[in-house]
Amino acid sequence: VRFLEQQNKVLDTKWTLLQEQGTKTVRQNLEPLFEQYINNLRRQLDSILGERGRLDSELRNMQDTVEDFKNKYEDEINKRTAAENEFVTLKKDVDAAYMNKVELQAKVDTLTDEINFTRALYDAELAQMQTHVSDTSVVLSMDNNRNLDLDSIIAEVKAQYEEIAQRSRAEAESWYQSKYEELQITAGRHGDDLRNTKQEIAEINRMIQRLRSEIDHVKKQ
C-alpha cells in the first residue's frame, strides 16, 4: 500500500510536470493513459485494503481461538492435578479401610475361637457335672445294702444333690447362655462393621474407577 501510494505520488508529480512542460496535444494524448493507470492503481489499492481488513479479522479470530485453547489447557491441567491429589487421598483411605478390615477380621476370628472354646468348656463341665451326679447316685445305691433304714436319708441327700446339680446346671447354663449371647452380639456388631467396611471399600473402588476413567479421558484430551 505504501509502495502504491508512493507510486501514486510519483505519477502525480510526473503528471504535474508533464502538464507544465508539455503542449496541449501532449496533455490530451497522455491524460487518458495516466487516468487509466491511476484508476488501475486505485482499484488495486482498494483490493489490497479490503484484503488487509479481512486478514486483520482472521488474525483477531485466530488470536481469540488460541487464547481460548490456552485457557482450556490450563483448566485441564488444574483438573488433572486436582484429580491426582484426590486419587492419592482416596488411595490412603482405601489402605486405611483395608487395614481396618484386616483388624476387624482378626477380631471376628478371635471371637469365633473364644465362642468355640467357651462352648467346648460348657459341654465339658456339663458332662462332668452329670457324671458327678451319676457317681453320687451309685454311692447311695451301694449304701442301701446296709441293714440300716437309710431310705429317707438317701432320698433327702439325693434330693439335695439333685437340687444342687439343677441349680448349678441352671446357673452354668444361664451364665454360658448370657456369655454366648454377649459374644454373638459382639460378633454381630463386628460383622455389621465388617459389612459396612466392605460397602465403603466397594464404594471407594467404584470412585477410584470413575476417577481413573476421568484421568484417562483428561489425558486423552
Side-chain angles (χ1 to χ4, degrees), residues 109-141:
D109 295 337
T110 302
L111 290 174
T112 303
D113 294 337
E114 186 176 353
I115 290 171
N116 293 330
F117 175 75
T118 305
R119 185 180 296 171
L121 182 62
Y122 167 73
D123 293 336
E125 289 184 355
L126 186 60
Q128 184 178 2
M129 191 175 296
Q130 290 175 353
T131 304
H132 178 70
V133 172
S134 177
D135 292 339
T136 303
S137 299
V138 170
V139 170
L140 292 176
S141 297

Side-chain angles (χ1 to χ4, degrees), residues 160-198:
Q160 290 178 357
Y161 273 106
E162 288 180 354
E163 183 181 359
I164 293 172
Q166 291 295 331
R167 186 167 62 251
S168 298
R169 183 184 301 174
E171 290 177 356
E173 288 180 354
S174 177
W175 184 82
Y176 283 117
Q177 185 66 27
S178 62
K179 191 67 176 177
Y180 181 71
E181 291 177 354
E182 182 181 354
L183 291 175
Q184 280 186 336
I185 292 172
T186 304
R189 184 169 62 252
H190 286 294
D192 293 336
D193 294 337
L194 184 61
R195 284 192 295 272
N196 293 330
T197 303
K198 288 181 179 179

Side-chain angles (χ1 to χ4, degrees), residues 1-220:
V1 173
R2 292 194 188 96
F3 176 76
L4 293 176
E5 289 176 351
Q6 291 175 359
Q7 291 294 323
N8 194 8
K9 290 181 180 179
V10 171
L11 291 175
D12 288 335
T13 304
K14 289 182 179 181
W15 175 246
T16 303
L17 292 176
L18 288 174
Q19 284 181 342
E20 292 177 355
Q21 295 177 1
T23 59
K24 184 177 181 180
T25 304
V26 174
R27 286 198 300 270
Q28 290 178 353
N29 291 331
L30 293 178
E31 184 175 358
L33 180 62
F34 278 107
E35 287 181 356
Q36 183 179 2
Y37 187 69
I38 290 171
N39 291 329
N40 290 331
L41 292 177
R42 285 176 178 172
R43 284 193 296 272
Q44 291 179 7
L45 178 62
D46 293 336
S47 177
I48 291 173
L49 290 175
E51 185 70 17
R52 178 182 177 182
R54 186 180 65 80
L55 292 176
D56 289 337
S57 178
E58 290 182 358
L59 178 62
R60 286 192 297 271
N61 293 331
M62 189 60 66
Q63 288 176 346
D64 294 337
T65 303
V66 170
E67 187 68 23
D68 187 21
F69 278 110
K70 182 179 178 181
N71 294 329
K72 289 182 178 179
Y73 178 75
E74 292 177 354
D75 291 338
E76 294 297 334
I77 291 295
N78 294 329
K79 289 180 180 179
R80 177 183 177 182
T81 303
E84 289 177 351
N85 294 331
E86 187 175 0
F87 175 76
V88 172
T89 303
L90 288 175
K91 188 175 184 300
K92 291 181 180 179
D93 294 337
V94 170
D95 293 338
Y98 179 75
M99 294 302 295
N100 190 17
K101 175 188 174 182
V102 173
E103 183 178 358
L104 290 175
Q105 186 64 40
K107 289 181 179 179
V108 170
D109 295 337
T110 302
L111 290 174
T112 303
D113 294 337
E114 186 176 353
I115 290 171
N116 293 330
F117 175 75
T118 305
R119 185 180 296 171
L121 182 62
Y122 167 73
D123 293 336
E125 289 184 355
L126 186 60
Q128 184 178 2
M129 191 175 296
Q130 290 175 353
T131 304
H132 178 70
V133 172
S134 177
D135 292 339
T136 303
S137 299
V138 170
V139 170
L140 292 176
S141 297
M142 291 175 65
D143 289 340
N144 285 332
N145 293 325
R146 296 182 181 180
N147 295 322
L148 296 175
D149 188 9
L150 299 178
D151 291 338
S152 60
I153 298 174
I154 292 172
E156 184 179 358
V157 172
K158 185 176 181 180
Q160 290 178 357
Y161 273 106
E162 288 180 354
E163 183 181 359
I164 293 172
Q166 291 295 331
R167 186 167 62 251
S168 298
R169 183 184 301 174
E171 290 177 356
E173 288 180 354
S174 177
W175 184 82
Y176 283 117
Q177 185 66 27
S178 62
K179 191 67 176 177
Y180 181 71
E181 291 177 354
E182 182 181 354
L183 291 175
Q184 280 186 336
I185 292 172
T186 304
R189 184 169 62 252
H190 286 294
D192 293 336
D193 294 337
L194 184 61
R195 284 192 295 272
N196 293 330
T197 303
K198 288 181 179 179
Q199 292 177 358
E200 291 178 358
I201 291 173
E203 184 66 24
I204 291 172
N205 287 328
R206 287 194 294 272
M207 190 177 295
I208 289 173
Q209 293 296 328
R210 180 176 60 79
L211 289 175
R212 284 179 178 173
S213 62
E214 291 180 358
I215 289 171
D216 294 335
H217 181 65
V218 171
K219 286 181 179 179
K220 289 179 181 179

